[in-house]
Amino acid sequence: MKQETWVVAGKGFSDRISGKLLTHCFIMMFLGFAGGFVWLIALAGNVFHIVPLPRFEVIVPDQKELLRNVHVGTILNSIYVMAMVGLSARLDFSVRQAKWVYYWAIVLLWGNMIGYSTAVYAPERGLQPIGDWPNLVSYGTFYIAVVAATITTGICLYNALRIGRS
């Protein structure tokens, strides 16, 4: 069985690993755009109307701020991980670091997207580990996403400091 190449000297993540991680990023972008449509419908008073199509009444949760978070937060997390992929050559990850950044970046993306989406239905907004199941799911996924963001950012910061000092 062939060993997976994680990093290429002077190039950062291998093409395969970059492609796989960017696939998650673009899925998140798509889901963030879909969340933006739901936010737009909420802002328009539960009406979806694109000329020349007929006007549709669509009932969405009346949580405009939280719907905005689904849109903006998901897209920003995706851009953040894309920056890690794009800067991987400059950050000069070891194979071990590359694996940690890769897996934890995926957890960061999906954890935040699930957290933002379920917070819309959670009276406590996923800020405390109490209440009904949407709140517990939101809290749990946000919690693990924060851990993931801390780990990935820490590895990137460590390498940036190491390179800056050399």
Side-chain angles (χ1 to χ4, degrees):
M1 182 170 187
K2 188 179 176 213
Q3 186 77 4
E4 178 80 67
T5 302
W6 283 85
V7 290
V8 176
K11 191 175 176 209
F13 284 122
S14 69
D15 288 343
R16 180 170 164 79
I17 296 302
S18 290
K20 288 166 69 174
L21 195 49
L22 288 173
T23 298
H24 286 276
C25 290
F26 284 110
I27 290 169
M28 289 302 115
M29 283 283 193
F30 178 77
L31 294 174
F33 294 148
F37 277 113
V38 177
W39 179 36
L40 178 67
I41 292 167
L43 290 172
N46 293 335
V47 173
F48 179 74
H49 189 204
I50 298 177
V51 176
L53 299 173
R55 176 185 164 127
F56 293 101
E57 296 281 334
V58 181
I59 305 302
V60 297
D62 188 29
Q63 301 287 337
K64 292 174 183 72
E65 177 187 347
L66 298 178
L67 290 170
R68 182 195 66 221
N69 292 347
V70 174
H71 172 60
V72 176
T74 302
I75 291 172
L76 287 176
N77 280 290
S78 181
I79 292 169
Y80 182 52
V81 174
M82 287 176 177
M84 286 184 225
V85 172
L87 292 171
S88 67
R90 305 272 301 162
L91 293 170
D92 193 29
F93 296 131
S94 68
V95 171
R96 184 175 181 185
Q97 289 173 328
K99 288 179 181 181
W100 276 73
V101 169
Y102 174 82
Y103 289 116
W104 283 107
I106 292 170
V107 170
L108 180 161
L109 290 168
W110 286 96
N112 275 311
M113 190 279 299
I114 294 168
Y116 289 132
S117 299
T118 54
V120 173
Y121 301 98
E124 294 84 14
R125 302 171 63 168
L127 299 174
Q128 298 180 52
I130 58 172
D132 55 0
W133 73 267
N135 191 69
L136 294 173
V137 169
S138 184
Y139 177 82
T141 56
F142 277 146
Y143 190 92
I144 193 70
V146 167
V147 170
T150 303
I151 290 170
T152 56
T153 303
I155 292 169
C156 292
L157 174 61
Y158 173 80
N159 283 12
L161 288 170
R162 179 180 50 80
I163 292 165
R165 289 181 180 154
S166 63

